[in-house]
């Protein structure tokens, strides 16, 4: 039984060898605990991604209108 979160993360990040990936796939089909852990992992990653996007959106919306990033003067001259 694989319940190691690092292994699950490695699986989704494509850091497993072909043999390790095949073993993980085979275990995933037969191990209910692993299937539940993978489902939790996927749901957690999606939730974290959505929360990060919402936080970024909130930060951007909180900026005053017309506020722009100041470029260093050499870049301004080069653009001209």
């Amino acid at each position: 039984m694989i319940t190691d979160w690092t292994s699950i993360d490695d699986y989704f990040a494509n850091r497993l060898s072909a043999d390790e990936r095949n073993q993980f796939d085979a275990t995933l089909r037969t191990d209910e605990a692993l299937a539940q852990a993978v489902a939790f992992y996927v749901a957690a990653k999606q939730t974290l991604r959505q929360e990060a996007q919402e936080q970024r959106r909130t930060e951007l919306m909180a900026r005053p209108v017309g506020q722009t990033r100041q470029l260093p003067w050499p870049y301004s001259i080069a653009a001209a």
Side-chain angles (χ1 to χ4, degrees), residues 10-52:
D10 288 346
Y11 176 82
F12 284 100
N14 291 321
R15 291 188 293 250
L16 297 179
S17 68
D19 290 338
E20 291 170 324
R21 189 167 187 79
N22 290 335
Q23 178 62 40
F24 189 94
D25 287 334
T27 305
L28 183 59
R29 285 191 288 275
T30 60
D31 187 341
E32 182 66 27
L34 177 60
Q36 289 177 359
V38 167
F40 176 81
Y41 175 90
V42 170
K45 290 282 272 194
Q46 288 175 335
T47 300
L48 290 172
R49 185 178 301 117
Q50 289 171 347
E51 288 175 359

Side-chain angles (χ1 to χ4, degrees), residues 60-68:
L60 290 174
M61 296 302 287
R63 283 185 174 177
V65 176
Q67 180 181 359
T68 60

